[in-house]
CSV table of all heavy atoms in Angstrom, one decimal:
chain,number,residue,atom,x,y,z
A,35,THR,N,20.6,-7.1,17.9
A,35,THR,CA,20.4,-8.4,18.2
A,35,THR,C,19.6,-9.2,17.1
A,35,THR,O,18.9,-8.5,16.3
A,35,THR,CB,19.7,-8.8,19.5
A,35,THR,OG1,18.4,-8.2,19.5
A,35,THR,CG2,20.5,-8.0,20.6
A,36,PRO,N,19.7,-10.5,17.0
A,36,PRO,CA,18.9,-11.2,16.0
A,36,PRO,C,17.3,-10.8,16.1
A,36,PRO,O,16.7,-10.8,15.2
A,36,PRO,CB,19.2,-12.6,16.1
A,36,PRO,CG,20.6,-12.6,16.7
A,36,PRO,CD,20.7,-11.4,17.6
A,37,ALA,N,17.0,-10.8,17.4
A,37,ALA,CA,15.5,-10.6,17.6
A,37,ALA,C,15.1,-9.2,17.1
A,37,ALA,O,14.1,-9.1,16.5
A,37,ALA,CB,15.3,-10.6,19.1
A,38,ASP,N,16.1,-8.1,17.2
A,38,ASP,CA,15.7,-6.8,16.6
A,38,ASP,C,15.6,-7.0,15.1
A,38,ASP,O,14.8,-6.2,14.4
A,38,ASP,CB,16.7,-5.8,17.1
A,38,ASP,CG,16.7,-5.5,18.5
A,38,ASP,OD1,15.6,-5.7,19.1
A,38,ASP,OD2,17.7,-5.1,19.1
A,39,SER,N,16.6,-7.7,14.5
A,39,SER,CA,16.5,-7.8,13.1
A,39,SER,C,15.3,-8.5,12.6
A,39,SER,O,14.7,-8.2,11.6
A,39,SER,CB,17.8,-8.6,12.6
A,39,SER,OG,18.9,-7.9,13.0
A,40,TYR,N,14.8,-9.6,13.4
A,40,TYR,CA,13.6,-10.3,12.9
A,40,TYR,C,12.4,-9.5,13.1
A,40,TYR,O,11.5,-9.5,12.4
A,40,TYR,CB,13.5,-11.6,13.7
A,40,TYR,CG,14.5,-12.6,13.3
A,40,TYR,CD1,15.2,-13.4,14.3
A,40,TYR,CD2,14.8,-12.9,12.0
A,40,TYR,CE1,16.1,-14.4,14.0
A,40,TYR,CE2,15.8,-13.8,11.7
A,40,TYR,CZ,16.4,-14.6,12.5
A,40,TYR,OH,17.3,-15.5,12.3
A,41,ARG,N,12.5,-8.6,14.1
A,41,ARG,CA,11.3,-7.7,14.4
A,41,ARG,C,11.2,-6.7,13.2
A,41,ARG,O,10.2,-6.4,12.6
A,41,ARG,CB,11.4,-7.0,15.7
A,41,ARG,CG,10.4,-6.1,15.9
A,41,ARG,CD,10.4,-5.4,17.3
A,41,ARG,NE,9.3,-4.5,17.6
A,41,ARG,CZ,9.3,-3.3,17.4
A,41,ARG,NH1,10.2,-2.6,16.8
A,41,ARG,NH2,8.2,-2.6,17.7
A,42,ALA,N,12.4,-6.2,12.8
A,42,ALA,CA,12.4,-5.3,11.6
A,42,ALA,C,11.9,-5.8,10.4
A,42,ALA,O,11.2,-5.2,9.6
A,42,ALA,CB,13.8,-4.7,11.5
A,43,ILE,N,12.4,-7.1,10.1
A,43,ILE,CA,12.0,-7.8,8.9
A,43,ILE,C,10.4,-8.0,8.9
A,43,ILE,O,9.8,-7.9,7.9
A,43,ILE,CB,12.8,-9.1,8.7
A,43,ILE,CG1,14.2,-8.7,8.4
A,43,ILE,CG2,12.1,-10.0,7.7
A,43,ILE,CD1,15.1,-10.1,8.4
A,44,GLY,N,10.0,-8.4,10.1
A,44,GLY,CA,8.5,-8.7,10.2
A,44,GLY,C,7.8,-7.5,10.0
A,44,GLY,O,6.7,-7.4,9.3
A,45,LEU,N,8.1,-6.3,10.6
A,45,LEU,CA,7.5,-5.0,10.4
A,45,LEU,C,7.5,-4.6,8.9
A,45,LEU,O,6.5,-4.1,8.4
A,45,LEU,CB,8.0,-4.1,11.4
A,45,LEU,CG,7.6,-4.1,12.8
A,45,LEU,CD1,8.3,-3.1,13.7
A,45,LEU,CD2,6.1,-4.0,12.9
A,46,GLY,N,8.6,-4.8,8.3
A,46,GLY,CA,8.7,-4.4,6.9
A,46,GLY,C,7.9,-5.2,6.0
A,46,GLY,O,7.3,-4.7,5.1
A,47,LEU,N,7.8,-6.6,6.3
A,47,LEU,CA,6.9,-7.4,5.5
A,47,LEU,C,5.5,-7.1,5.7
A,47,LEU,O,4.7,-7.1,4.9
A,47,LEU,CB,7.2,-8.9,5.8
A,47,LEU,CG,6.5,-9.9,5.1
A,47,LEU,CD1,6.9,-9.7,3.7
A,47,LEU,CD2,6.8,-11.3,5.6
A,48,ALA,N,5.1,-6.8,7.0
A,48,ALA,CA,3.6,-6.4,7.4
A,48,ALA,C,3.3,-5.1,6.7
A,48,ALA,O,2.2,-5.0,6.0
A,48,ALA,CB,3.6,-6.3,8.8
A,49,ALA,N,4.3,-4.1,6.5
A,49,ALA,CA,4.0,-2.9,5.8
A,49,ALA,C,3.9,-3.1,4.3
A,49,ALA,O,2.9,-2.5,3.7
A,49,ALA,CB,5.1,-1.9,6.1
A,50,ALA,N,4.7,-4.0,3.9
A,50,ALA,CA,4.6,-4.2,2.4
A,50,ALA,C,3.3,-5.1,2.1
A,50,ALA,O,2.7,-4.7,1.0
A,50,ALA,CB,5.7,-5.2,2.0
A,51,ILE,N,2.9,-5.9,2.8
A,51,ILE,CA,1.6,-6.7,2.7
A,51,ILE,C,0.4,-5.7,2.8
A,51,ILE,O,-0.6,-5.8,2.0
A,51,ILE,CB,1.5,-7.9,3.6
A,51,ILE,CG1,2.4,-8.9,3.3
A,51,ILE,CG2,0.0,-8.4,3.6
A,51,ILE,CD1,2.6,-10.0,4.2
A,52,ALA,N,0.4,-4.8,3.8
A,52,ALA,CA,-0.6,-3.8,3.9
A,52,ALA,C,-0.8,-2.9,2.8
A,52,ALA,O,-1.9,-2.7,2.3
A,52,ALA,CB,-0.4,-3.1,5.2
A,53,MET,N,0.4,-2.6,2.3
A,53,MET,CA,0.3,-1.6,1.2
A,53,MET,C,0.0,-2.2,-0.1
A,53,MET,O,-0.9,-1.7,-0.9
A,53,MET,CB,1.8,-1.0,1.0
A,53,MET,CG,1.9,0.1,-0.1
A,53,MET,SD,1.0,1.6,0.6
A,53,MET,CE,0.8,2.5,-0.8
A,54,ALA,N,0.5,-3.5,-0.3
A,54,ALA,CA,0.2,-4.2,-1.6
A,54,ALA,C,-1.3,-4.6,-1.6
A,54,ALA,O,-2.0,-4.4,-2.6
A,54,ALA,CB,1.1,-5.4,-1.8
A,55,GLY,N,-1.7,-5.0,-0.4
A,55,GLY,CA,-3.2,-5.5,-0.5
A,55,GLY,C,-4.2,-4.2,-0.6
A,55,GLY,O,-5.1,-4.5,-1.4
A,56,SER,N,-3.8,-3.1,0.0
A,56,SER,CA,-4.8,-2.0,-0.1
A,56,SER,C,-4.7,-1.4,-1.5
A,56,SER,O,-5.7,-1.0,-2.1
A,56,SER,CB,-4.4,-1.0,1.0
A,56,SER,OG,-3.1,-0.4,0.6
A,57,VAL,N,-3.5,-1.4,-2.2
A,57,VAL,CA,-3.4,-0.9,-3.5
A,57,VAL,C,-4.1,-1.7,-4.5
A,57,VAL,O,-4.7,-1.3,-5.4
A,57,VAL,CB,-1.9,-0.6,-3.8
A,57,VAL,CG1,-1.7,-0.3,-5.3
A,57,VAL,CG2,-1.4,0.6,-2.9
A,58,LEU,N,-3.8,-3.0,-4.4
A,58,LEU,CA,-4.5,-4.0,-5.4
A,58,LEU,C,-6.0,-4.0,-5.1
A,58,LEU,O,-6.7,-3.9,-6.2
A,58,LEU,CB,-3.9,-5.5,-5.0
A,58,LEU,CG,-2.5,-5.6,-5.6
A,58,LEU,CD1,-2.1,-7.1,-5.2
A,58,LEU,CD2,-2.4,-5.5,-7.0
A,59,GLY,N,-6.5,-3.9,-3.9
A,59,GLY,CA,-7.9,-3.8,-3.7
A,59,GLY,C,-8.5,-2.5,-4.3
A,59,GLY,O,-9.6,-2.6,-4.9
A,60,SER,N,-7.8,-1.4,-3.9
A,60,SER,CA,-8.2,-0.1,-4.5
A,60,SER,C,-8.3,-0.1,-6.0
A,60,SER,O,-9.2,0.5,-6.6
A,60,SER,CB,-7.4,0.9,-4.0
A,60,SER,OG,-7.7,2.2,-4.5
A,61,GLY,N,-7.3,-0.7,-6.7
A,61,GLY,CA,-7.2,-0.7,-8.1
A,61,GLY,C,-8.4,-1.5,-8.7
A,61,GLY,O,-9.0,-1.0,-9.7
A,62,TYR,N,-8.6,-2.6,-8.1
A,62,TYR,CA,-9.7,-3.4,-8.5
A,62,TYR,C,-11.2,-2.7,-8.3
A,62,TYR,O,-11.9,-2.7,-9.3
A,62,TYR,CB,-9.7,-4.8,-7.7
A,62,TYR,CG,-11.0,-5.7,-8.2
A,62,TYR,CD1,-10.8,-6.3,-9.4
A,62,TYR,CD2,-12.0,-5.8,-7.4
A,62,TYR,CE1,-11.8,-7.2,-9.8
A,62,TYR,CE2,-13.0,-6.6,-7.8
A,62,TYR,CZ,-13.0,-7.3,-9.0
A,62,TYR,OH,-14.0,-8.2,-9.4
A,63,ALA,N,-11.3,-2.0,-7.1
A,63,ALA,CA,-12.6,-1.3,-7.0
A,63,ALA,C,-12.7,-0.2,-7.9
A,63,ALA,O,-13.8,0.1,-8.4
A,63,ALA,CB,-12.5,-0.8,-5.5
A,64,VAL,N,-11.6,0.6,-8.2
A,64,VAL,CA,-11.7,1.8,-9.0
A,64,VAL,C,-11.9,1.3,-10.4
A,64,VAL,O,-12.9,1.9,-11.1
A,64,VAL,CB,-10.4,2.6,-8.9
A,64,VAL,CG1,-10.3,3.7,-10.1
A,64,VAL,CG2,-10.3,3.3,-7.7
Side-chain angles (χ1 to χ4, degrees):
T35 63
D38 292 336
S39 299
Y40 290 136
R41 181 176 185 267
I43 290 170
L45 285 172
L47 187 61
I51 290 171
M53 190 68 199
S56 67
V57 167
L58 289 174
S60 175
Y62 180 75
V64 167

